[in-house]
Amino acid sequence: MTSLWERPDGPVVGQAKPHESAVGHVTGTAYFTDDLVGRLTGVLHAYPVRSPQTHALVTRLDTEPALGVPGVVRVLTAADVPGVNDAGIHHDEPLFPSEVMFRGHAVAWVLAESLEAAKAGAAAVVVEYDPLPSIVSIADAEAAGSFQGTTSVVRRGDVDAAFASASHVFSGELEIGGQEHFYLETHAALAMVDGSGQVFVQSSTQHPSETQEITAHVLGLGSHAVTVECLRMGGGFGGKEWQPHGLAAIAALGAVLTGRPVRLRLERSLDITMTGKRHPFLARWKLGFDDELHLVAMSGEFIADGGWCLDLSAPVLARALTHCDNAYNIPNVEVVGRIAKTNKTSQTAFRGFGGPQGMLFIEDALGRCAPQLGVSPEDLRRRNLYRDGDSTPYGQPVKDAGRLATIWDRAFTTSEFERRRAEVDAFNAASPHVKRGLAITPQKFGISFNTAAFNQAGALVQIYKDGSVLINHGGTEMGQGLHTKMIQVAATALGVPYELVKLAPTRTDKVPNTSATAASTGADLNGAAVKNACDQLRERLANVAAGWLSHDTVEQWNLPLQPDDVRFADGLVYPVGHPEMGKPWAEVVNAAYWSRVHLSAAGFYRTQGLHWDAKNMWGSPFKYFSMGAAVSEVEVDGFTGAHRLLRVDIVQDIGNSLSPLIDLGQIEGGFAQGVGWLTMEELRWDTSDGEGRGRLLTNSASTYKLPSLGELPEVFNIEVVPNLSERGAIYGSKAVGEPPLTLAMSTFEAIRDAAAAFGPAGRDPKLGLPSTPEAVFWALTEAREASAPPST
Amino acid sequence: MGRLEITVNGIVRDATGTPPQTNLLTWLRSIGLTAAKEGCAEGECGACAVLIVRPDGARSRLDSVNSCLVTLGSLHGAEVVTVEGLGTPDRLHPTQAVLAAAGGSQCGYCTPGFVSSLAGEYYRADRTPGQHGCGNGVHLEALAGNLCRCTGYRPIKDAALAIESPPADDPWVERLAQPSSWPSPVSVSDAAGAVVRPASLAEAFDALDADGAAPLAGGTDLNVERNILGRTKATLVAVEALPELRCLEFTDDHIEIGAGLTLSEIERRLAGRVPLLDALWPQFASPLIRNAATLGGNLGTASPIGDSPPTLLALEASVVLIGRRGEREVPLADYFTGYRQTLREPGELIKSVRVPLPLAPLTAFHKIAKRRMDDISSVAVGYAVELSDGVVSRVRIGLGGVAATPIRALATEDALLGCAWTPETAAAAASVMKTEGTPISDARASAAYRSAMLEQSLLKFFASTREEVAR
């Protein structure tokens, strides 16, 4: 066995490869779940009967009229469920509810020959409701005491004593908005009973094993009777970690009951109003500083809006609580977190998983405190960064803490921060209507699932007699390039060309009991499992090759070749140091077959050294930390509040990259998604007492705006920290999926800086989230009014 | 009932029997061409973009459009090109090759739409090196109607900047050198509804007499209603190709713009002669929409947040309506009578829009929205002002988004007329402008912000004209 992190000579990892499906993407030959419908005959279409009430008891459900609609074949209700009527693992999520919990909640599903017929059928189903009072905001929930799950606290030291002796104490509150995933491919499932009687579900899911588990329990079957396959997803971003399960179960139930394939694809308007989003948070903070402006205490409170059921809210909250320190050392901490239960979609995982909300808590606070302390935000942030030897408020030593300052200083220098700060100030002094802002923010993001058990993965690697290699692993492809990296890992571990390795779609009958592809761990976990399988195979082949090559080595040096001196690279198998004596890979494989050597291996990996006491929020849940820093410069129009992102400089530590082009895409794309969350994407629910109470107002692409090409920074510089190898991860790489999203906080802080420039120095430059033109306009109006002479 | 035949990727396909009001995307996917995807079904994301071959004088043009907003039955005789028809994995089209190599796809779901928009730009006949500040002359705005949730767009931009000029023997270059025609007259129907493309104005009036008939002139609004709200019409009468609706004339005292021209065509053919409209185009939805939407459609739906009315109100435009009894010209300011209601009578069509000459020298279009590209306005303002010796001698201001219809800012115009163009005048008029209309709070903006934006808009306009005067 070789070490996890060291790379052999001539590795395929580290090469810049385009996405393994890129050619399929551009030609439309890379199929998504719903593209398969036309390949089947007799497919039924599923459409939901949805609640027009925000919270109500279902008093009558009459499906008979729907059956009279031409094309309608069947209506699925709770009475049809042979197993457990629940879409989750907490059993608080009835698949067919008798109490509707949010507007748009599905009470029944209509199956029909066409989508139009299914829609007409759904409209014909008669449902009567007895309305109940509804809770549609965190404020409502707080007033009513409507919470779910448990209260969690991160606590270290003595905050009361620390605040009492602090030189400066500030407090504030911020409302952090949610975020719609807006994966371009909406939720989709296609289920059938196959020729062997197996229930087979094609699902756009980040967690096939859990989709399988839920489908099986709804059907009252063992998991072995259900197979889930995920070809690829048109984006996931966390939105397909939990939410696909119930939809897949509906399609499977329909397929079992009718004997026909069932297609369930949510149209955008359904997807956006029925499935969960990033959790909105209400956060209250209090910070204490000493005379040197070092943080001495932080206390506060998070209330996460979990929506109508728990799904992933508890771990999301845990990640928020373990990230509210971001990159700063704070000796005394007490932050309490709770989960509101509201009559909204069940909020769920979204890239960062509570981490971004936690980090924003401290960044917003520092951005507001700095002017009041008479220092620049960059000075205040820099002087509080973690140093070697520091540990987090939950007791984990900060591995490589000193790297934070190194990365910060690198970003500060290469972005020419000081020169540009002077230029921005000069520009602002001369420009009454347009102001610029500049800011730098750091990032520290813990890598591993908080729940230690999820940090395991499996893989199945098969070598065929002709030398070609087929790999399966438990991770799913949602655009992040995981499959590309896995091919590179297998090619590296086996010493074969990239082209010799093919990857088969993720299936629960190939690799069982997998974890979600989430928490940025896809490559770390599955890569290590793939490597483990390849290492086993290579060891077997080395034994065969050692015997074979020994003919030559004995002849040349009179020395038999030991198996651990056999090398595999570039499709050759040779004695160490002597590639000229090599045998072609395919010949060695063929020889192994004839020697009756097993050419298939199951790989497994568990992350070592993790421990976490979830009850007391204490331990070392993370294998390592991802680190970075970003500098943003913006220009704000004082007439409208609209901003332009002029320049962004990012320095990100991604260890020794497995696949540089893929990782660059993750950094850029994550950053853009963060900018969307913080500056543009706005979820507005109707909180009035009128007819529309509880309705999501921004329920379509025309009202919910995500970044377009026009939001690309005009100058965009990205640097990865060179020559760093993470010993805790596959081939020295580091996770990259989620962390870059949090770099967008530099853009938010730069907008704050620009809006504040419309007024006098030293104010509390409060800025609403997201910083839409409207929010920025109100912030700069407040700044302007602070500098206006008092009216007489 | 007639046959419905559409050429797709060079092969004539029989679509007879498909519900004619179905959108093009649904039909393409049903015949196995699944490259185009549904992302939003309302023309916002571009994942469904395909190319349509259209006449361009004696030549042809490839226009990229949202296939979810094209009514299938209106395409009889049309020629559609999808990503499958551009290239295959073995023979990538140059646009496909650059996107794949640049890391321009991550999840890949939006990618065929980007390929389509980029291919439209690749074959744009008047693309010349250096245009739009790019070495290869690519107009990046061509991608403004395509959303990508994964990449952050940088690699897509780089791919666009890397496309070269098509070689002379490129099959599409050869095809585009040949003429093509607008879709052919047709009448197709099923139980769910009919689509009629009349051969003449007279046939159009006949078709419009049917119960529940409505004109179709682009379909970028009607198809949103159909896709999202399930609202259909008994009969759609596709009128945009009628020659009477496709004029573009310059006379001594006005410019006449045919209601059936797409917005892209108008932009090209006006060639900068109406600066206020040139300020409008880049902010009007996206190129994918502008390649399909018509001015007649935008005025016909009479949305209070339509983008063209504020500018046309400022230009003092009038609408020419045509019916069996002949033509009548109605000032646009009188045309809107209520929320999505107008003076147009059943059976009448919008024939054209007349913009009187000479144009006022100081103009501007302000669109307040969350996103710069491809958004719907919270507030939109069009200005046309003339100064004589520093005094406002003529002023027209059109507003959108602040009332049930587009309106003129009459009180503000009064406050400006005859006053010296000074900061004091602008400030006083801005405080009047703040009270124009009856803005509401909705998903896009609050009423308070809308009112504030009216005030700020006038201040911004003043500031910009002072800069211009100084230059």
Side-chain angles (χ1 to χ4, degrees), chain A residues 35 180-181 268 637 640 668 681 705-707 710 774, chain B residues 29 37 44 149 153-154 371-372 375 446 449 460:
Chain A
D35 295 340
E180 162 60 31
H181 302 85
R268 179 64 60 187
D637 180 334
T640 62
E668 292 171 330
E681 298 178 35
K705 290 291 163 184
L706 37 144
E774 177 164 359
Chain B
R29 293 182 60 81
K37 318 284 186 204
E44 290 274 343
R149 190 55 153 164
Y153 301 99
R154 194 275 314 157
R371 190 168 69 196
R372 262 195 309 283
D375 198 355
S446 68
Y449 181 65
K460 181 173 184 163

PDB file of all heavy atoms in Angstrom, chain A residues 35 180-181 268 637 640 668 681 705-707 710 774, chain B residues 29 37 44 149 153-154 371-372 375 446 449 460:
ATOM      1  N   ASP A  35     -34.088  13.160 -19.914  1.00  0.00           N
ATOM      2  CA  ASP A  35     -33.807  12.910 -21.337  1.00  0.00           C
ATOM      3  C   ASP A  35     -34.074  11.454 -21.702  1.00  0.00           C
ATOM      4  O   ASP A  35     -34.096  11.093 -22.890  1.00  0.00           O
ATOM      5  CB  ASP A  35     -32.343  13.233 -21.670  1.00  0.00           C
ATOM      6  CG  ASP A  35     -32.015  14.713 -21.513  1.00  0.00           C
ATOM      7  OD1 ASP A  35     -32.951  15.531 -21.526  1.00  0.00           O
ATOM      8  OD2 ASP A  35     -30.826  15.050 -21.365  1.00  0.00           O
ATOM      9  N   GLU A 180     -32.261  30.142  -3.172  1.00  0.00           N
ATOM     10  CA  GLU A 180     -32.825  29.071  -3.995  1.00  0.00           C
ATOM     11  C   GLU A 180     -31.669  28.440  -4.784  1.00  0.00           C
ATOM     12  O   GLU A 180     -30.842  29.150  -5.333  1.00  0.00           O
ATOM     13  CB  GLU A 180     -33.876  29.679  -4.946  1.00  0.00           C
ATOM     14  CG  GLU A 180     -34.260  28.826  -6.135  1.00  0.00           C
ATOM     15  CD  GLU A 180     -34.847  27.484  -5.750  1.00  0.00           C
ATOM     16  OE1 GLU A 180     -35.487  27.383  -4.694  1.00  0.00           O
ATOM     17  OE2 GLU A 180     -34.650  26.523  -6.516  1.00  0.00           O
ATOM     18  N   HIS A 181     -31.634  27.115  -4.818  1.00  0.00           N
ATOM     19  CA  HIS A 181     -30.507  26.471  -5.500  1.00  0.00           C
ATOM     20  C   HIS A 181     -30.478  26.824  -6.980  1.00  0.00           C
ATOM     21  O   HIS A 181     -29.441  27.061  -7.551  1.00  0.00           O
ATOM     22  CB  HIS A 181     -30.596  24.951  -5.359  1.00  0.00           C
ATOM     23  CG  HIS A 181     -30.609  24.489  -3.937  1.00  0.00           C
ATOM     24  ND1 HIS A 181     -31.770  24.433  -3.203  1.00  0.00           N
ATOM     25  CD2 HIS A 181     -29.622  24.094  -3.115  1.00  0.00           C
ATOM     26  CE1 HIS A 181     -31.475  24.007  -1.982  1.00  0.00           C
ATOM     27  NE2 HIS A 181     -30.186  23.795  -1.905  1.00  0.00           N
ATOM     28  N   ARG A 268     -40.206  24.242 -13.108  1.00  0.00           N
ATOM     29  CA  ARG A 268     -39.504  25.212 -12.268  1.00  0.00           C
ATOM     30  C   ARG A 268     -40.414  25.789 -11.182  1.00  0.00           C
ATOM     31  O   ARG A 268     -40.020  25.923 -10.023  1.00  0.00           O
ATOM     32  CB  ARG A 268     -38.932  26.346 -13.125  1.00  0.00           C
ATOM     33  CG  ARG A 268     -38.196  27.431 -12.345  1.00  0.00           C
ATOM     34  CD  ARG A 268     -36.943  26.931 -11.645  1.00  0.00           C
ATOM     35  NE  ARG A 268     -35.980  26.394 -12.580  1.00  0.00           N
ATOM     36  CZ  ARG A 268     -34.856  25.767 -12.220  1.00  0.00           C
ATOM     37  NH1 ARG A 268     -34.549  25.610 -10.933  1.00  0.00           N
ATOM     38  NH2 ARG A 268     -34.047  25.286 -13.136  1.00  0.00           N
ATOM     39  N   ASP A 637     -23.543  53.116  -7.628  1.00  0.00           N
ATOM     40  CA  ASP A 637     -24.241  54.270  -8.202  1.00  0.00           C
ATOM     41  C   ASP A 637     -25.127  54.883  -7.111  1.00  0.00           C
ATOM     42  O   ASP A 637     -26.048  54.237  -6.615  1.00  0.00           O
ATOM     43  CB  ASP A 637     -25.094  53.773  -9.387  1.00  0.00           C
ATOM     44  CG  ASP A 637     -25.868  54.900 -10.055  1.00  0.00           C
ATOM     45  OD1 ASP A 637     -26.171  55.919  -9.394  1.00  0.00           O
ATOM     46  OD2 ASP A 637     -26.193  54.752 -11.256  1.00  0.00           O
ATOM     47  N   THR A 640     -29.057  54.979  -7.769  1.00  0.00           N
ATOM     48  CA  THR A 640     -29.905  53.779  -7.780  1.00  0.00           C
ATOM     49  C   THR A 640     -29.518  52.742  -6.731  1.00  0.00           C
ATOM     50  O   THR A 640     -30.330  51.886  -6.397  1.00  0.00           O
ATOM     51  CB  THR A 640     -29.793  53.073  -9.145  1.00  0.00           C
ATOM     52  OG1 THR A 640     -28.430  52.651  -9.327  1.00  0.00           O
ATOM     53  CG2 THR A 640     -30.190  53.991 -10.277  1.00  0.00           C
ATOM     54  N   GLU A 668     -14.223  29.704  -9.141  1.00  0.00           N
ATOM     55  CA  GLU A 668     -14.946  30.786  -9.809  1.00  0.00           C
ATOM     56  C   GLU A 668     -16.458  30.644  -9.629  1.00  0.00           C
ATOM     57  O   GLU A 668     -17.166  31.612  -9.335  1.00  0.00           O
ATOM     58  CB  GLU A 668     -14.636  30.785 -11.316  1.00  0.00           C
ATOM     59  CG  GLU A 668     -13.215  31.157 -11.637  1.00  0.00           C
ATOM     60  CD  GLU A 668     -12.872  30.934 -13.110  1.00  0.00           C
ATOM     61  OE1 GLU A 668     -13.453  30.027 -13.740  1.00  0.00           O
ATOM     62  OE2 GLU A 668     -12.024  31.663 -13.617  1.00  0.00           O
ATOM     63  N   GLU A 681     -29.820  37.577  -5.016  1.00  0.00           N
ATOM     64  CA  GLU A 681     -30.856  36.553  -4.928  1.00  0.00           C
ATOM     65  C   GLU A 681     -31.686  36.788  -3.674  1.00  0.00           C
ATOM     66  O   GLU A 681     -31.179  36.791  -2.572  1.00  0.00           O
ATOM     67  CB  GLU A 681     -30.212  35.167  -4.923  1.00  0.00           C
ATOM     68  CG  GLU A 681     -29.442  34.920  -6.202  1.00  0.00           C
ATOM     69  CD  GLU A 681     -28.745  33.567  -6.213  1.00  0.00           C
ATOM     70  OE1 GLU A 681     -29.302  32.618  -5.650  1.00  0.00           O
ATOM     71  OE2 GLU A 681     -27.654  33.484  -6.778  1.00  0.00           O
ATOM     72  N   LYS A 705     -33.733  36.371  -9.218  1.00  0.00           N
ATOM     73  CA  LYS A 705     -32.648  36.656 -10.162  1.00  0.00           C
ATOM     74  C   LYS A 705     -31.328  36.075  -9.683  1.00  0.00           C
ATOM     75  O   LYS A 705     -30.903  36.325  -8.571  1.00  0.00           O
ATOM     76  CB  LYS A 705     -32.501  38.175 -10.304  1.00  0.00           C
ATOM     77  CG  LYS A 705     -33.674  38.799 -11.037  1.00  0.00           C
ATOM     78  CD  LYS A 705     -33.634  38.380 -12.484  1.00  0.00           C
ATOM     79  CE  LYS A 705     -34.957  38.617 -13.167  1.00  0.00           C
ATOM     80  NZ  LYS A 705     -34.969  38.136 -14.546  1.00  0.00           N
ATOM     81  N   LEU A 706     -30.685  35.280 -10.552  1.00  0.00           N
ATOM     82  CA  LEU A 706     -29.350  34.832 -10.240  1.00  0.00           C
ATOM     83  C   LEU A 706     -28.358  35.513 -11.161  1.00  0.00           C
ATOM     84  O   LEU A 706     -28.753  36.081 -12.173  1.00  0.00           O
ATOM     85  CB  LEU A 706     -29.211  33.311 -10.320  1.00  0.00           C
ATOM     86  CG  LEU A 706     -29.926  32.523 -11.373  1.00  0.00           C
ATOM     87  CD1 LEU A 706     -29.062  31.375 -11.818  1.00  0.00           C
ATOM     88  CD2 LEU A 706     -31.197  31.990 -10.758  1.00  0.00           C
ATOM     89  N   PRO A 707     -27.089  35.479 -10.802  1.00  0.00           N
ATOM     90  CA  PRO A 707     -26.117  36.208 -11.605  1.00  0.00           C
ATOM     91  C   PRO A 707     -26.110  35.759 -13.073  1.00  0.00           C
ATOM     92  O   PRO A 707     -26.238  34.572 -13.370  1.00  0.00           O
ATOM     93  CB  PRO A 707     -24.778  35.878 -10.942  1.00  0.00           C
ATOM     94  CG  PRO A 707     -25.125  35.546  -9.528  1.00  0.00           C
ATOM     95  CD  PRO A 707     -26.471  34.874  -9.610  1.00  0.00           C
ATOM     96  N   GLY A 710     -23.324  39.343 -16.955  1.00  0.00           N
ATOM     97  CA  GLY A 710     -23.043  40.737 -16.610  1.00  0.00           C
ATOM     98  C   GLY A 710     -22.498  40.931 -15.204  1.00  0.00           C
ATOM     99  O   GLY A 710     -21.969  41.988 -14.886  1.00  0.00           O
ATOM    100  N   GLU A 774     -31.824  48.123  -4.052  1.00  0.00           N
ATOM    101  CA  GLU A 774     -32.694  48.781  -3.074  1.00  0.00           C
ATOM    102  C   GLU A 774     -32.038  48.831  -1.695  1.00  0.00           C
ATOM    103  O   GLU A 774     -32.018  49.881  -1.038  1.00  0.00           O
ATOM    104  CB  GLU A 774     -34.051  48.062  -2.999  1.00  0.00           C
ATOM    105  CG  GLU A 774     -34.951  48.682  -1.941  1.00  0.00           C
ATOM    106  CD  GLU A 774     -36.421  48.299  -2.048  1.00  0.00           C
ATOM    107  OE1 GLU A 774     -36.795  47.548  -2.956  1.00  0.00           O
ATOM    108  OE2 GLU A 774     -37.196  48.794  -1.203  1.00  0.00           O
TER     109      GLU A 774
ATOM    110  N   ARG B  29     -38.118  17.687 -27.964  1.00  0.00           N
ATOM    111  CA  ARG B  29     -37.751  16.633 -27.013  1.00  0.00           C
ATOM    112  C   ARG B  29     -38.557  15.365 -27.266  1.00  0.00           C
ATOM    113  O   ARG B  29     -38.053  14.263 -27.081  1.00  0.00           O
ATOM    114  CB  ARG B  29     -37.911  17.130 -25.570  1.00  0.00           C
ATOM    115  CG  ARG B  29     -36.894  18.236 -25.229  1.00  0.00           C
ATOM    116  CD  ARG B  29     -37.001  18.704 -23.789  1.00  0.00           C
ATOM    117  NE  ARG B  29     -36.768  17.645 -22.832  1.00  0.00           N
ATOM    118  CZ  ARG B  29     -35.585  17.197 -22.433  1.00  0.00           C
ATOM    119  NH1 ARG B  29     -34.474  17.740 -22.935  1.00  0.00           N
ATOM    120  NH2 ARG B  29     -35.478  16.221 -21.552  1.00  0.00           N
ATOM    121  N   LYS B  37     -32.949  21.938 -23.329  1.00  0.00           N
ATOM    122  CA  LYS B  37     -33.533  21.553 -22.042  1.00  0.00           C
ATOM    123  C   LYS B  37     -34.528  22.601 -21.576  1.00  0.00           C
ATOM    124  O   LYS B  37     -34.383  23.780 -21.891  1.00  0.00           O
ATOM    125  CB  LYS B  37     -32.456  21.446 -20.966  1.00  0.00           C
ATOM    126  CG  LYS B  37     -31.163  20.783 -21.361  1.00  0.00           C
ATOM    127  CD  LYS B  37     -31.287  19.281 -21.433  1.00  0.00           C
ATOM    128  CE  LYS B  37     -29.916  18.676 -21.694  1.00  0.00           C
ATOM    129  NZ  LYS B  37     -30.024  17.354 -22.317  1.00  0.00           N
ATOM    130  N   GLU B  44     -36.191  32.866 -19.487  1.00  0.00           N
ATOM    131  CA  GLU B  44     -35.233  33.571 -18.636  1.00  0.00           C
ATOM    132  C   GLU B  44     -33.866  32.898 -18.617  1.00  0.00           C
ATOM    133  O   GLU B  44     -32.870  33.540 -18.327  1.00  0.00           O
ATOM    134  CB  GLU B  44     -35.757  33.631 -17.198  1.00  0.00           C
ATOM    135  CG  GLU B  44     -36.953  34.548 -17.025  1.00  0.00           C
ATOM    136  CD  GLU B  44     -36.543  35.998 -16.775  1.00  0.00           C
ATOM    137  OE1 GLU B  44     -35.381  36.243 -16.433  1.00  0.00           O
ATOM    138  OE2 GLU B  44     -37.407  36.867 -16.955  1.00  0.00           O
ATOM    139  N   ARG B 149     -25.435  28.198 -13.717  1.00  0.00           N
ATOM    140  CA  ARG B 149     -25.391  28.247 -12.258  1.00  0.00           C
ATOM    141  C   ARG B 149     -24.069  27.716 -11.725  1.00  0.00           C
ATOM    142  O   ARG B 149     -23.823  27.787 -10.534  1.00  0.00           O
ATOM    143  CB  ARG B 149     -26.565  27.421 -11.715  1.00  0.00           C
ATOM    144  CG  ARG B 149     -26.828  27.535 -10.213  1.00  0.00           C
ATOM    145  CD  ARG B 149     -27.012  28.959  -9.745  1.00  0.00           C
ATOM    146  NE  ARG B 149     -27.834  29.054  -8.545  1.00  0.00           N
ATOM    147  CZ  ARG B 149     -27.885  30.147  -7.777  1.00  0.00           C
ATOM    148  NH1 ARG B 149     -27.139  31.206  -8.072  1.00  0.00           N
ATOM    149  NH2 ARG B 149     -28.678  30.186  -6.729  1.00  0.00           N
ATOM    150  N   TYR B 153     -19.227  31.957 -15.325  1.00  0.00           N
ATOM    151  CA  TYR B 153     -19.180  32.539 -16.681  1.00  0.00           C
ATOM    152  C   TYR B 153     -17.791  32.819 -17.251  1.00  0.00           C
ATOM    153  O   TYR B 153     -17.652  32.997 -18.458  1.00  0.00           O
ATOM    154  CB  TYR B 153     -20.008  33.842 -16.789  1.00  0.00           C
ATOM    155  CG  TYR B 153     -21.459  33.658 -16.454  1.00  0.00           C
ATOM    156  CD1 TYR B 153     -21.956  33.983 -15.202  1.00  0.00           C
ATOM    157  CD2 TYR B 153     -22.342  33.116 -17.381  1.00  0.00           C
ATOM    158  CE1 TYR B 153     -23.285  33.799 -14.881  1.00  0.00           C
ATOM    159  CE2 TYR B 153     -23.688  32.927 -17.077  1.00  0.00           C
ATOM    160  CZ  TYR B 153     -24.155  33.276 -15.818  1.00  0.00           C
ATOM    161  OH  TYR B 153     -25.471  33.103 -15.507  1.00  0.00           O
ATOM    162  N   ARG B 154     -16.742  32.888 -16.427  1.00  0.00           N
ATOM    163  CA  ARG B 154     -15.435  33.273 -16.979  1.00  0.00           C
ATOM    164  C   ARG B 154     -14.997  32.343 -18.115  1.00  0.00           C
ATOM    165  O   ARG B 154     -14.619  32.823 -19.197  1.00  0.00           O
ATOM    166  CB  ARG B 154     -14.402  33.364 -15.847  1.00  0.00           C
ATOM    167  CG  ARG B 154     -13.105  34.073 -16.205  1.00  0.00           C
ATOM    168  CD  ARG B 154     -12.084  33.180 -16.865  1.00  0.00           C
ATOM    169  NE  ARG B 154     -11.965  31.908 -16.157  1.00  0.00           N
ATOM    170  CZ  ARG B 154     -11.515  30.790 -16.718  1.00  0.00           C
ATOM    171  NH1 ARG B 154     -11.130  30.777 -17.973  1.00  0.00           N
ATOM    172  NH2 ARG B 154     -11.461  29.673 -16.016  1.00  0.00           N
ATOM    173  N   ARG B 371     -30.847  43.177 -11.744  1.00  0.00           N
ATOM    174  CA  ARG B 371     -29.738  42.662 -12.528  1.00  0.00           C
ATOM    175  C   ARG B 371     -29.593  43.521 -13.779  1.00  0.00           C
ATOM    176  O   ARG B 371     -30.583  43.949 -14.353  1.00  0.00           O
ATOM    177  CB  ARG B 371     -30.041  41.211 -12.907  1.00  0.00           C
ATOM    178  CG  ARG B 371     -28.896  40.464 -13.504  1.00  0.00           C
ATOM    179  CD  ARG B 371     -29.187  38.986 -13.582  1.00  0.00           C
ATOM    180  NE  ARG B 371     -30.215  38.680 -14.565  1.00  0.00           N
ATOM    181  CZ  ARG B 371     -30.865  37.523 -14.627  1.00  0.00           C
ATOM    182  NH1 ARG B 371     -30.615  36.573 -13.762  1.00  0.00           N
ATOM    183  NH2 ARG B 371     -31.775  37.318 -15.545  1.00  0.00           N
ATOM    184  N   ARG B 372     -28.359  43.746 -14.191  1.00  0.00           N
ATOM    185  CA  ARG B 372     -28.141  44.620 -15.358  1.00  0.00           C
ATOM    186  C   ARG B 372     -28.664  43.997 -16.645  1.00  0.00           C
ATOM    187  O   ARG B 372     -29.252  44.669 -17.472  1.00  0.00           O
ATOM    188  CB  ARG B 372     -26.652  44.929 -15.524  1.00  0.00           C
ATOM    189  CG  ARG B 372     -26.221  46.241 -14.948  1.00  0.00           C
ATOM    190  CD  ARG B 372     -24.855  46.662 -15.459  1.00  0.00           C
ATOM    191  NE  ARG B 372     -23.867  45.634 -15.327  1.00  0.00           N
ATOM    192  CZ  ARG B 372     -23.266  45.304 -14.178  1.00  0.00           C
ATOM    193  NH1 ARG B 372     -23.576  45.937 -13.081  1.00  0.00           N
ATOM    194  NH2 ARG B 372     -22.372  44.351 -14.137  1.00  0.00           N
ATOM    195  N   ASP B 375     -33.417  41.475 -17.095  1.00  0.00           N
ATOM    196  CA  ASP B 375     -34.282  41.535 -15.914  1.00  0.00           C
ATOM    197  C   ASP B 375     -35.527  42.331 -16.294  1.00  0.00           C
ATOM    198  O   ASP B 375     -35.584  42.978 -17.345  1.00  0.00           O
ATOM    199  CB  ASP B 375     -33.550  42.196 -14.739  1.00  0.00           C
ATOM    200  CG  ASP B 375     -34.221  41.884 -13.392  1.00  0.00           C
ATOM    201  OD1 ASP B 375     -35.292  41.236 -13.374  1.00  0.00           O
ATOM    202  OD2 ASP B 375     -33.651  42.279 -12.366  1.00  0.00           O
ATOM    203  N   SER B 446     -39.922  47.729  -3.300  1.00  0.00           N
ATOM    204  CA  SER B 446     -40.960  48.334  -2.466  1.00  0.00           C
ATOM    205  C   SER B 446     -41.484  49.590  -3.152  1.00  0.00           C
ATOM    206  O   SER B 446     -40.837  50.177  -4.019  1.00  0.00           O
ATOM    207  CB  SER B 446     -40.388  48.697  -1.098  1.00  0.00           C
ATOM    208  OG  SER B 446     -39.459  49.757  -1.232  1.00  0.00           O
ATOM    209  N   TYR B 449     -39.117  52.482  -2.592  1.00  0.00           N
ATOM    210  CA  TYR B 449     -37.944  52.493  -3.470  1.00  0.00           C
ATOM    211  C   TYR B 449     -38.338  52.964  -4.865  1.00  0.00           C
ATOM    212  O   TYR B 449     -37.621  53.750  -5.496  1.00  0.00           O
ATOM    213  CB  TYR B 449     -37.326  51.096  -3.521  1.00  0.00           C
ATOM    214  CG  TYR B 449     -36.083  50.991  -4.382  1.00  0.00           C
ATOM    215  CD1 TYR B 449     -34.913  51.663  -4.041  1.00  0.00           C
ATOM    216  CD2 TYR B 449     -36.077  50.196  -5.535  1.00  0.00           C
ATOM    217  CE1 TYR B 449     -33.768  51.553  -4.819  1.00  0.00           C
ATOM    218  CE2 TYR B 449     -34.929  50.078  -6.312  1.00  0.00           C
ATOM    219  CZ  TYR B 449     -33.783  50.762  -5.950  1.00  0.00           C
ATOM    220  OH  TYR B 449     -32.643  50.650  -6.730  1.00  0.00           O
ATOM    221  N   LYS B 460     -30.300  61.961 -11.829  1.00  0.00           N
ATOM    222  CA  LYS B 460     -29.243  61.286 -12.599  1.00  0.00           C
ATOM    223  C   LYS B 460     -29.236  61.785 -14.042  1.00  0.00           C
ATOM    224  O   LYS B 460     -28.179  62.027 -14.630  1.00  0.00           O
ATOM    225  CB  LYS B 460     -29.461  59.779 -12.545  1.00  0.00           C
ATOM    226  CG  LYS B 460     -28.400  58.979 -13.284  1.00  0.00           C
ATOM    227  CD  LYS B 460     -28.563  57.483 -13.071  1.00  0.00           C
ATOM    228  CE  LYS B 460     -27.416  56.743 -13.745  1.00  0.00           C
ATOM    229  NZ  LYS B 460     -27.262  55.374 -13.279  1.00  0.00           N
TER     230      LYS B 460
END
